[in-house]
Every structure is written in structure tokens, then in C-alpha cells.
Amino acid sequence: MQRNSIIIICLFLINNFNVYNDLGQDSKENFLVIPKIYLNEKIDLDITLDTGVEIHEISHNKKYPLVLMGHSGIGVNAVFNDLENLFVDDEIFIVTKDIIYKYSILEIYDHIKGNTLEIEPNNTYLYLVTCDKKNLQKQLIFKAKFTKSAKI
């Protein structure tokens, strides 16, 4: 909760946008924060869904957007359970050791699980991907656009 209050107070525009370089190798330094649904979850750089939020492989290519995946449904690792309560224009933050990145949701849609997800090669987008709890054959996709960043 303390990091959420820092986000609200400290946002100011800076020119350098490179979320990839700023994600620290220690996953304790990287958080996905969505104030509307009280989400404050570490981003796991070890590419595993076992501990929370993972960075999808395509995200390591700096030309592409950051793609974060997390579980919905049953269990302690279902960190994306409340994403279904988000709407267009809701805010998402990536918090690193030194910088906060702010995104605004542009689009929410479903996608058939197992099919290739078309990702636009634009590194100012963020995608959140999770299971659709109402239809287990689909995933929910939340596409957000970078709006500004701030030094902490």
C-alpha cells in the first residue's frame, strides 16, 4: 500500500522512456500496480507464473510492448482475478527501483487461448494477459498505452 501512495504523489513527466532497461534484475524491485483494484504485485523476471506476474518472452525484444501474464481463477497465485473490473482509461503503473511508468487502458478484448496473439511492434504499449474466468477457452487482453513516467 505504501508504494500506491508514492505513485499518486510523485508523477511528473520525464523524457526518457525505456521500461526494459529500468526493470531491475532483482524482482523485489519491480511491481505492477493498479490502484483501482488494489493490485500491487511483483513482476517476476524468472519467467514463471508460480510466483505472480511474469514477463512474456516477446517482451525481451525492446521493439515490442511489455507483455505481462498472470493467473485468474482459484488459488493464491491468481493475482489477476480482479482485472475484469477494469475499464478503458483506467490506470496501470509499472514501478521499478527508480522510475514509475504510467499507462492508460486503450482496449479490452478476449482472445482464443492457444491462438497466436497479434502484438503490434510498439514499445509504448503494455499488454496484460489472463484467463477469462467466464470462458476457459479464452484469455482477456488489456492493451494500455504509456502516458508518462516519473523518477521516484
Side-chain angles (χ1 to χ4, degrees):
M1 281 299 198
Q2 189 176 11
R3 279 180 124 33
N4 287 350
S5 59
I6 290 171
I7 289 170
I8 294 167
I9 295 168
C10 294
L11 282 177
F12 60 94
L13 189 61
I14 63 175
N15 293 325
N16 182 16
F17 175 74
N18 196 341
V19 70
Y20 301 101
N21 289 343
D22 295 322
L23 285 172
Q25 293 306 308
D26 180 357
S27 59
K28 293 179 185 129
E29 298 176 349
N30 309 301
F31 291 88
L32 171 66
V33 178
I34 307 175
K36 180 178 180 180
I37 58 172
Y38 306 102
L39 182 82
N40 186 349
E41 196 65 41
K42 74 177 181 175
I43 299 171
D44 190 347
L45 297 179
D46 295 328
I47 313 298
T48 174
L49 280 174
D50 294 339
T51 55
V53 179
E54 78 164 35
I55 296 178
H56 188 62
E57 283 181 41
I58 195 170
S59 297
H60 295 293
N61 182 333
K62 295 177 185 176
K63 294 179 184 175
Y64 285 88
L66 186 61
V67 179
L68 301 177
M69 302 177 77
H71 285 300
S72 290
I74 300 170
V76 68
N77 293 327
V79 297
F80 278 2
N81 261 347
D82 294 328
L83 287 187
E84 65 190 13
N85 296 318
L86 296 176
F87 297 98
V88 170
D89 294 328
D90 284 343
E91 296 176 337
I92 299 170
F93 299 90
I94 301 294
V95 181
T96 69
K97 183 178 176 184
D98 301 319
I99 297 179
I100 300 170
Y101 293 90
K102 179 181 176 185
Y103 295 83
S104 179
I105 296 176
L106 292 175
E107 185 178 0
I108 302 168
Y109 57 96
D110 60 15
H111 176 74
I112 297 174
K113 199 182 284 188
N115 284 0
T116 302
L117 177 62
E118 297 294 324
I119 299 288
E120 190 176 333
N122 182 336
N123 70 357
T124 63
Y125 289 138
L126 164 69
Y127 287 83
L128 302 181
V129 180
T130 192
C131 297
D132 184 339
K133 294 187 293 187
K134 297 173 187 161
N135 184 341
L136 298 178
Q137 304 303 314
K138 293 188 177 182
Q139 294 175 308
L140 290 176
I141 313 297
F142 297 80
K143 179 181 178 183
K145 173 98 172 139
F146 170 76
T147 58
K148 60 177 134 177
S149 58
K151 290 187 178 183
I152 296 177

